Amino acid sequence: MRQFFSDLMHAARQWRARPGLWLAIVVTLALGIGANTAVFSVINGLLLRPLPFADADRLVMVYNTYPKNDLEFAGTSIPDYLDRREGAPSLEDLAMFNQISLNLTTGQVPEQLSAARVTPSFFSVLQVSAAYGRVLDDADAEDGAAPVAVLSHGLWQRLYGGDRSVLGRELVLSGRNYQIVGVMPEAFAFPDRQRDLFVPFVFTAAQKSDEERGNEYSMSIGRLKPGATLAGLNAEMDLLVQRVGARLPDYLPFIESSGFTGRAEHLQEFFVGDLRGLLGLLQAATLFVLLIAAANVANLLLAQGLARRREFSVRAAMGAGRAQLFRQLIAESLLASIAGAGLGLLIAQGCLALMDGQLLQRMGGSLFHTAIDAGVLGFTLLVSVLVALLISILPAIVVAGPSLVEGLKDGGHGTTSSRFTRLSRSTLVVVQLALSVALLIGAGLMLRSFDRLSGVGPGFDPAHLYSAAYALNGDQYADPAARAQFIENSLNGIRQIPGVAAAGMISGLPFSPMADSSGTFAIRGEVYDATHVPPHAFQRIIDEGFFPTSRVPLLLGRNFTVADSADASRVVIIDKLLADKHFAGQDPLGKQLSRGGGGDDAQWMTIVGVVGTVKATELGAEVRKETMYVPMRQTSFPVGSLLVRAEMPRDVLTTKIRAVLKRVDPGQPIFDVRTMQERIDASLGPQRAPMQLLLVFAGVALVLAAVGIYAVLAFLVGQRAGEIGVRMAIGAGRGDILRLVLRQSAGLVGLGLVIGVVAALLLARVLSSQLYGISAYDPLTYVAVVILLAVVAAAASLLPARRASHIDPLRALRQE
Amino acid sequence: MSSNALITMRDIKKVFYTDEVETHALSGIHVDISQGEYVAISGPSGCGKSTLLSILGLLDSPTGGEYVLNGTPVQSLDANQRARIRNREIGFIFQAFNLIGDLSVFENVELPLTYRDNMNKGERRDRAMEALERVGMAHRVKHFPGQLSGGQQQRVAVARALVGKPSILLADEPTGNLDSKNGEAVMTLLDELHKSGSTICMVTHDMRYAEFAARKIFMFDGRVVDEETLHRLRTEEDQRLRQSLAIA
C-alpha cells in the first residue's frame, strides 16, 4: 500500500510536468463519467432507492381496471375500497385519498389550497405520525364530525411561521371552519409535495352503498401483510368482484363485459415502472459516451507511453518487474480518473437539473430524489477505477511490453511497438467513430421523433390561449344555477377586458390533471346483450364560448347557445371520433345519448353538433376514446377552467381576470394560470428530457470523436514524417501527401461509419418503443448522421494532413 | 557553361540563421555536371557537401546564386514544381536507404512512378521490375524492407532511384550504413550504372569510394577547392587546433 502511495505521488509529479495533457484527459473523462453519474443518479433515485416510508416494499397502489374497455387504470370507488379493506386478507391496511381544492380568504387575494382528503388509515398505511399534535383518527371521519385538518409543514411555516400554538386554532376554508389538530413532518410528502393540508374523507351512508360503484375519483394505497404477495392480493380482489357480481345480478353483465376487477402494484413500480426502458436507453447512451471518452484518453496515453518508453525501459533495466511498471501506469490513470470523476460530479449536477425539471415532475414530485448520495458516489468511484484500468491496458502493453530492450536502444521508435501502437490507435478511432455513429443515430431518431410529436396538432389552436382553474366548492355554490351564474358573470367580465379576443369554460381541460374525466354512455335505440362492452367517452362540460375560444372546429350542426338552459331540452355535441365509431355512414345529428346506462332513468340528450377530435393528455398518443360535450347550463360540476384567448403577458392578464372575479365573488380564487402551449410542452417533458440529454451526449461524442481522429492522424503524421520526407524526396507533391493522409483517414472513418451504422441497425429495435411517427430505420436520419460525421471527420483530418503536406523533406530525412 | 551541361551552378550561397548567428554553409559555389558524368563530392565533416547535395536535389533552396537543371532555372520554383522536377529528373540514394517499412520491395520501387500522371499500372509494373532486375533484386519483390539485409535494402533503394529514368542520380554517403563488402557491392553497382550511361553525383567522405568517380570535387568550409588546397587547409587547421590546445 505504501508502495502504491509512492506510485501515486510519482504520478502526481508526472501530471504536474504535463498540465495540458492532464487537463485534456481529466475533462474528457469528466464528460464520460459525469454523464454516467447523472443517469445512474436518476436510476438510483427512481428505481433503486426505497421510498421514504417504513417497509416501503410492502406499500401497494390499489386500483380498478377495465381491460376489455381499454381502461387499465381507473381509481377506486368507496364501496370497492370498503370491500377490499374488510375482505382482502393479504392487506394489513388500506387507505383511500383524493385531491380537493379549498379556498382560503384570509389575505388580500383569495388563495386556492390543495388538500388531500384521506381516510384516517392513510397515516397508518404509510406509518407516519404528526410532527406536532396528531394525525386524523376514525372519529374525525364519522359522518357529522366537526371538520379538522392536519397541516403540511410547508403551509404551517407559510401561514403561521412555524408557531406551535397553532394546534386547536380554526382555519376558514371554503366557508367552513376546520380545527387544526396536527402538523406533518417536513420530510413528509404524499402523494406529492403540493398537498397543503390533510382533511378527513367522510363517507356518507349513500356513498357507502352499491349506488356509488363506478364513481372512481379516488386512489387507494395499501400495505401488504409481511409475506403477502401481489398475486395473492390480486386473486383476493378477483374473488371480491365475483362476490359483488353474485350479490348484484344487474351489475354482473357489466363486470363480465368490461373485465372489471381490482389490481395492485408496488408503489415504486406504479410511479416509475414505465421509465425503466427509457432509463436503460439513457444509461446505454452514457456508457457509449464513457467508452468514447476512454478510447480518446487511451489514445492520448498511448502516445504518451511511447514517448516514455525509454524511461520505463530504464526502470525495467534497474529491476522493476512488469507488475510494478503496470502499477505505476495504473496510479497515473487513477489519479486522472478520480479527478475526472470530481469534475464529472459537477457535470452530473447540471444533467440532473435538466432531468429533474422535465422528467421527474410527472413522477409524484418529491416522492423521488435524484440527489448524488453515497450510493451514487460509490458508483462513480467504481466507474473511475474501471476506467483507470481500461485506459491503462494499451499503454502498459506498449511501455512494459515484451521488447524492453528495443526501448532502451531506440527510445521507443522500434518497429514492432510503433506498428502495434498504430494499429491500437487506429482501432480506438474506429471504435470511437462506430460508437458515435450509433449514438448520433439514436439522438437523431429521438430528435426527429420529437419534431414529429411537436408538429402534431392538439385539435385546437394553443397560440395565445390561457387557462385558469377554479373550484366552486363553497356552500354558496351548492346550487348548480349559482355555479352557472358565477361562470357566466365571470366570462362576461373577462370578455370586456381590452385585448381579450374570446373566453369560455370547460371542465376536464385537455392537458390538465382533470383531462381524464370520463364515463360510460348509452345510445338510444341500441339494444345490447349482456356481453356488450358499454361505450366510454371523455365527458366535458362547456359553455357556448369554448369552441370559438379554443378554435376546435365545428364540423356539423351547431354550437351550444344560451338557449340550451336547464329548462330546455337536453343537448350534446360529440367529437368526430364518436361520430365515426358509433354513427358511421349515418347522420349523427338528432340521435340521442345518455350519460351512464340507458335504463329507464336515463336522461337522453340530442346530438346537435359534431366537432373535431381533441388530444386529451399526450400529443403522441393516438386518441382512442371519444368525447362528448354537454352545456354547463344543463349539467354542472364545481371544478373547471376558464379559457381566454388574449395577446398580453400572463401577469397582466392574470391581474385583470382576478379583478373581474373579485367583482363577481371576492372570495373566489383562480389558480394554475398557464398557457395551453405550456401545458402541451409540459406533457412533452418525458419525451423532451431524454431527447435533449441524448443530443447533449451525442454532441459530446461527436466532439470526442473529432478530437480522436485529429489526435490519431497527428500522431500518425508524426510517426510517418520520415516516410513523408522520402516520398517528397522522390517527387511526391503537397497534394500527393495531402491525399495520402486523407486517404488513411478516410479508411478509418469509413470503417467506423460502417460498423456504427450496422450497430445502430442492430440497436434500432430497442429504440423503437421510444419513437413517435418515425421508423427506427429512418433512412434520412442514418444518411444525415453519416454525412455529418464524414464532414466532421474530414475537418478533423485536414489539419494533420495539411501539416504533413508542409513537412520539410530535408528535415524529415535528417530525423529519419 | 558547357554545351552538354546537365547541371550548372553559379555563385551558390547558403546561409543558415540561428538566433543571432549567421552560418555560411556554402559560399559562392560554382559547379557544372555534364550528362553521363560520375562526380564525387568529398571533404571533411561540416564542409557543406550534404547541403550542396540537398540543393542539387531540390530538397533545399540556395540563399543566393543561379541553378540551372537540364536547361531549367530552378532556384525560384514553388514546392509543387520542385516536387515534379525531383520526380522526373532526380533519383535519390540515401545513406540510411529510407525504404518505407510498410511497403513491399516492389511497392517501394514503384512509388516514384505513382506520383506521375498518365502512367498506367502495367507500365509502372514493367518499369519497376526492370529496375529491380538491374540491381539484382527481382527475386525479392514481395519482401518487406525489414526482411532484407542492409546491402539488399540499398540495392532496392538504387532501383527506386533508377525507376523513373532520372537525368541524374544523387547518392548521399551510399555506403555509410554498410559493411565494407556490401559497400563495395553498391559502389560496383553505381559504377555499372555509370558505364551504362547514368549521370551520378555522389557525396562521400571516404576517399576510397571517391576514387570510383571520374571527377572529384573537394569542398572545405563551404567552398570548392582543389585537392592540393584542401590538403594545405586541413594541415593549417590541424596546426591551429594544436596551438590552441597548447595555450590552454
Side-chain angles (χ1 to χ4, degrees), chain A residues 217 470-473 477 480 483-484 487 505-508 514 517 539-541 595 631-632 634-641:
Chain A
Y217 51 87
Y470 63 82
L472 304 174
N473 44 21
Y477 293 115
R483 296 178 199 157
I487 293 165
M505 72 74 58
I506 182 173
S507 72
M514 306 296 286
S517 174
Q539 298 185 358
R540 319 262 189 239
I541 300 165
R595 298 167 76 189
M632 71 163 191
Q634 294 182 349
T635 307
S636 182
F637 193 67
V639 178
S641 296

Side-chain angles (χ1 to χ4, degrees), chain A residues 367-605:
Chain A
L367 259 188
F368 300 94
H369 300 282
T370 55
I372 294 174
D373 60 12
V376 175
L377 285 176
F379 169 84
T380 306
L381 190 65
L382 180 68
V383 169
S384 309
V385 172
L386 290 176
V387 164
L389 286 172
L390 195 64
I391 61 179
S392 302
I393 291 171
L394 285 175
I397 293 171
V398 168
V399 300
S403 53
L404 289 169
V405 177
E406 206 174 275
L408 271 177
K409 277 200 300 199
D410 63 9
H413 293 96
T415 49
T416 315
S417 61
S418 54
R419 200 170 298 139
F420 172 77
T421 308
R422 275 207 300 273
L423 184 66
S424 304
R425 300 197 75 175
S426 301
T427 306
L428 287 172
V429 163
V430 169
V431 168
Q432 280 187 63
L433 274 165
L435 290 170
S436 302
V437 169
L439 197 52
L440 275 166
I441 286 175
L445 288 171
M446 293 289 272
L447 180 65
R448 297 248 301 142
S449 165
F450 187 77
D451 184 52
R452 288 275 169 95
L453 195 55
S454 305
V456 172
F460 57 90
D461 178 6
H464 309 296
L465 191 58
Y466 286 89
S467 63
Y470 63 82
L472 304 174
N473 44 21
D475 288 343
Q476 72 271 36
Y477 293 115
D479 177 14
R483 296 178 199 157
Q485 195 59 55
F486 168 83
I487 293 165
E488 194 162 338
N489 291 344
S490 300
L491 289 174
N492 284 338
I494 291 168
R495 287 173 187 133
Q496 302 305 314
I497 297 172
V500 169
M505 72 74 58
I506 182 173
S507 72
L509 180 72
F511 298 98
S512 78
M514 306 296 286
D516 273 333
S517 174
S518 61
T520 54
F521 67 95
I523 302 170
R524 191 160 205 173
E526 296 281 332
V527 179
Y528 307 118
D529 61 26
T531 60
H532 177 76
V533 178
H536 210 260
F538 290 123
Q539 298 185 358
R540 319 262 189 239
I541 300 165
I542 60 168
D543 79 324
E544 59 279 6
F546 171 73
F547 291 131
T549 304
S550 63
R551 295 181 184 159
V552 174
L554 182 66
L555 305 176
L556 269 179
R558 67 168 177 87
N559 187 7
F560 295 136
T561 68
V562 288
D564 296 315
S565 63
D567 304 330
S569 56
R570 294 186 165 267
V571 288
V572 63
I573 293 175
I574 61 173
D575 75 345
K576 186 171 181 302
L577 184 62
L578 195 153
D580 290 345
K581 260 191 183 177
H582 302 285
F583 303 107
Q586 305 173 50
D587 181 2
L589 299 182
K591 298 279 194 304
Q592 290 191 312
L593 310 176
S594 77
R595 298 167 76 189
D600 295 338
D601 55 347
Q603 292 189 314
W604 294 105
M605 304 176 291

Side-chain angles (χ1 to χ4, degrees), chain A residues 148-182:
Chain A
V148 294
V150 177
L151 303 187
S152 71
H153 190 273
L155 185 69
W156 175 56
Q157 288 288 337
R158 187 156 59 84
L159 292 186
Y160 301 105
D163 179 4
R164 293 190 191 187
S165 67
V166 73
L167 297 178
R169 281 200 221 165
E170 292 202 327
L171 192 61
V172 182
L173 297 168
S174 297
R176 297 184 74 187
N177 289 348
Y178 285 79
Q179 188 187 33
I180 300 168
V181 295

